[in-house]
Amino acid sequence: MKFFVKTQVFAIIMALFWIIYLSVLAFLDQPGRALQYINSFVNGFAILFAVIYFLLTKYFIGRNWLAVPLVLIPYFLLYKPVFEQVLLSLANESYSMTLNFLSLSTDGTHLLAIIFGLGLGIMFSRPQFKS
């Protein structure tokens, strides 16, 4: 039960980082700000979040491959759509259109960051022996 709670907390943290990711990119995507550098920001944030997911995986999950579906399935089916809908409902119409566009266009990059962070975090964590 403790392991299941850890995986769900990790999935919620990933959804919160997704909302932060979208909000920062939408803020930077405003005309006159950093529109020409948006691809650099997308890739930079993806690398940053991959490192964060790597460290969180080592801390929360350890070396347990069973956690991958326990994290990813609730994240994609429950937490990410709910948190994204809450964010879109709080934003005004033009800002929500920008958020929706960024959500669709950067989803693949964020998915790769999740896969690298989870996979490498599990691969490079030490096995936990119970005595």
Side-chain angles (χ1 to χ4, degrees):
M1 184 68 174
K2 188 176 178 181
F3 179 71
F4 183 72
V5 170
K6 283 183 178 183
T7 58
Q8 297 314 298
V9 167
F10 186 68
I12 291 172
I13 290 172
M14 284 179 16
L16 288 174
F17 277 129
W18 171 247
I19 296 302
I20 292 169
Y21 183 73
L22 286 179
S23 299
V24 170
L25 286 178
F27 176 76
L28 294 174
D29 196 30
Q30 301 300 320
R33 293 223 172 110
L35 187 62
Q36 60 194 8
Y37 304 111
I38 198 72
N39 287 334
S40 301
F41 286 124
V42 167
N43 295 330
F45 284 132
I47 291 170
L48 174 70
F49 287 139
V51 170
I52 290 171
Y53 297 150
F54 169 76
L55 296 173
L56 287 174
T57 302
K58 285 183 74 169
Y59 176 74
F60 277 122
I61 297 170
R63 192 175 200 119
N64 194 347
W65 286 98
L66 178 64
V68 174
L70 288 176
V71 169
L72 291 181
I73 291 172
Y75 169 72
F76 284 117
L77 295 179
L78 182 65
Y79 301 126
K80 182 181 170 199
V82 168
F83 279 60
E84 193 171 345
Q85 285 298 89
V86 168
L87 180 66
L88 291 176
S89 69
L90 293 175
N92 61 12
E93 187 175 332
S94 64
Y95 196 66
S96 66
M97 289 186 339
T98 303
L99 286 170
N100 198 14
F101 170 73
L102 287 171
S103 171
L104 294 173
S105 64
T106 62
D107 198 26
T109 308
H110 192 255
L111 175 65
L112 287 175
I114 290 171
I115 290 171
F116 279 119
L118 276 174
L120 293 176
I122 290 172
M123 284 173 46
F124 288 111
S125 61
R126 294 183 179 179
Q128 299 173 352
F129 299 107
K130 295 182 181 182
S131 50

